[in-house]
Amino acid sequence: MADIYDRAKTSAARMLAPRSRGGKGLELAMIRVTTGEYDPEIGGSPETTERFEGSGFRENYRQQDIDGSLIKQGDVKILISPVLLDGAEAPQPVSLDKIAFNGDTYTVQHVDPWDYAGIAVGFSVQARK
């Protein structure tokens, strides 16, 4: 049964691949900053920045979907490939991750994973400038 989901993941990765690789998406970078535990020697908490190079597709929300509270004017939906450019599996985006896409930087507000039988087939992200 997992075979059908593996094929769905491969299909999504192929569709969301950058145009330079035959897909319909563009390259993007997901930037995740994590704060470690308090370190008395430095007087604060160290931050670690991870950058994941992937690909995806951006679309605008329809006007009737914008409610002004959950989805605001200017929010976009970014469909993110389940596979990074280097072929590794993409980590699931989380709230407050940054996405650098086509010259703009967005902050992840909400993530809707396409998770079928435990296999991440892709991610739909609500992002805000």
Side-chain angles (χ1 to χ4, degrees):
M1 190 72 151
D3 182 46
I4 192 169
Y5 301 113
D6 290 335
R7 286 185 287 172
K9 180 178 180 177
T10 302
S11 179
R14 187 175 48 246
M15 177 188 69
L16 294 170
R19 291 182 197 139
S20 61
R21 296 186 182 188
K24 301 203 182 285
L26 291 175
E27 292 183 11
L28 60 79
M30 185 175 69
I31 301 146
R32 179 172 292 162
V33 177
T34 54
T35 304
E37 292 187 30
Y38 179 79
D39 184 353
E41 289 186 19
I42 63 171
S45 301
E47 289 186 344
T48 304
T49 301
E50 295 177 281
R51 186 176 175 98
F52 304 98
E53 302 291 334
S55 60
F57 181 84
R58 177 182 62 200
E59 62 183 27
N60 293 322
Y61 282 99
R62 297 177 306 169
Q63 193 62 41
Q64 63 256 31
D65 293 335
I66 299 170
D67 63 5
S69 60
L70 294 176
I71 300 174
K72 296 184 178 184
Q73 189 70 33
D75 284 4
V76 295
K77 185 185 300 184
I78 301 176
L79 306 177
I80 298 178
S81 173
V83 179
L84 298 175
L85 295 179
D86 64 4
E89 287 199 27
Q92 179 172 328
V94 295
S95 291
L96 303 180
D97 279 353
K98 303 287 185 197
I99 296 178
F101 185 86
N102 200 27
D104 293 320
T105 301
Y106 299 93
T107 302
V108 173
Q109 301 298 309
H110 178 76
V111 179
D112 184 19
W114 302 334
D115 190 359
Y116 301 101
I119 296 174
V121 176
F123 308 99
S124 178
V125 173
Q126 176 190 352
R128 184 172 294 154
K129 280 188 182 181

